[in-house]
Amino acid sequence: MDHVIKLIMKPISRAVFLAGAFISSSLSAQTTTHTSQLEVTIGIMGAVSASCTKAVNFGVLRLQHDVLGGIELPASGVIRLGPNGLELNGATGISEVHPGHLGECTVLGVPENRTSFDFTFRANSSFPFDLAGQNGASGLRMPDSPVSGIQVIDLFSIGDGGERSLGDPDFIAYTEGDRFPFTYKIGGTLVLPTNFVQENMGGYGGTIEVVLEDNL
């Protein structure tokens, strides 16, 4: 009886094995491959920077002959170029022949998706600083004998938040939506000496370095 059972079991096991192999082979034949595209991107941009392309121009002043050698200035001794133009502050014997204009510095490189950021836009040296004789400054020739003592007391930015001295080292917040890049108007104040003579007439100029620091 045992011998019969063994003979019967062998073909059953082989049939099961063959059936399993057939099923496995069928499943393997039905395997499919799917593909998709994986995108890899990077953005490269320059650092935030400032570009000053328009000079602070106080214009051309005429000193009347009777005050050469002794300009009568107000007590503060300051002539100011602001949003409303040149302010002589009551100085006598001086008239504006050719109007000047505010300087311009543009902040560049702010990412398009930024609507605000904190930064400082300042002068990289201290005030006051002297202007020297310069050929072509404000359209005039080099003075025969440049005078000393024409000093820039301050330069200041003019924006929606009012005026801010470029001598201020503190960070400020700027929030102007989609107005990046934006441009600052730059005004200033200077003092004239009181010892002009005819040989001092001519153009005067100078430069100052400005620095933009940001927290991007």
Side-chain angles (χ1 to χ4, degrees):
M1 177 65 86
D2 292 338
H3 181 70
V4 173
I5 293 174
K6 290 180 181 178
L7 289 176
I8 294 174
M9 289 179 63
K10 286 182 179 180
I12 292 175
S13 300
R14 184 175 297 176
V16 171
F17 173 78
L18 292 175
F22 175 77
I23 294 172
S24 175
S25 176
S26 299
L27 291 176
S28 176
Q30 294 176 359
T31 300
T32 59
T33 300
H34 297 278
T35 63
S36 183
Q37 302 300 316
L38 174 63
E39 184 178 11
V40 180
T41 65
I42 187 174
I44 305 295
M45 62 176 295
V48 176
S49 63
S51 175
C52 298
T53 57
K54 193 172 184 179
V56 179
N57 187 344
F58 283 85
V60 177
L61 302 182
R62 173 174 292 158
L63 309 184
Q64 297 182 16
H65 293 294
D66 57 352
V67 298
L68 287 177
I71 302 172
E72 183 180 349
L73 292 172
S76 64
V78 170
I79 292 176
R80 185 176 189 274
L81 178 66
N84 299 319
L86 190 66
E87 302 170 11
L88 299 179
N89 294 325
T92 60
I94 301 176
S95 59
E96 185 179 24
V97 179
H98 297 294
H101 53 72
L102 298 172
E104 291 185 356
C105 292
T106 301
V107 177
L108 305 167
V110 179
E112 293 181 0
N113 62 342
R114 292 297 297 266
T115 57
S116 66
F117 72 104
D118 297 336
F119 70 100
T120 176
F121 176 61
R122 59 177 174 79
N124 200 29
S125 57
S126 58
F127 295 101
F129 68 93
D130 290 347
L131 298 184
Q134 180 177 308
N135 189 43
S138 295
L140 300 181
R141 62 173 178 79
M142 180 80 173
D144 293 333
S145 178
V147 70
S148 60
I150 301 179
Q151 290 189 324
V152 177
I153 304 301
D154 189 25
L155 295 173
F156 48 85
S157 62
I158 303 169
D160 295 340
E163 299 175 0
R164 188 179 185 89
S165 171
L166 296 190
D168 189 343
D170 294 333
F171 276 87
I172 59 176
Y174 189 88
T175 55
E176 286 296 329
D178 59 358
R179 288 180 53 186
F180 300 123
F182 60 92
T183 299
Y184 272 126
K185 301 289 186 180
I186 308 295
T189 55
L190 62 76
V191 60
L192 295 174
T194 59
N195 58 341
F196 276 102
V197 295
Q198 189 63 43
E199 289 74 18
N200 303 145
M201 303 300 105
Y204 291 82
T207 60
I208 187 170
E209 185 179 62
V210 295
V211 177
L212 178 72
E213 297 175 355
D214 65 78
N215 69 345
L216 292 177

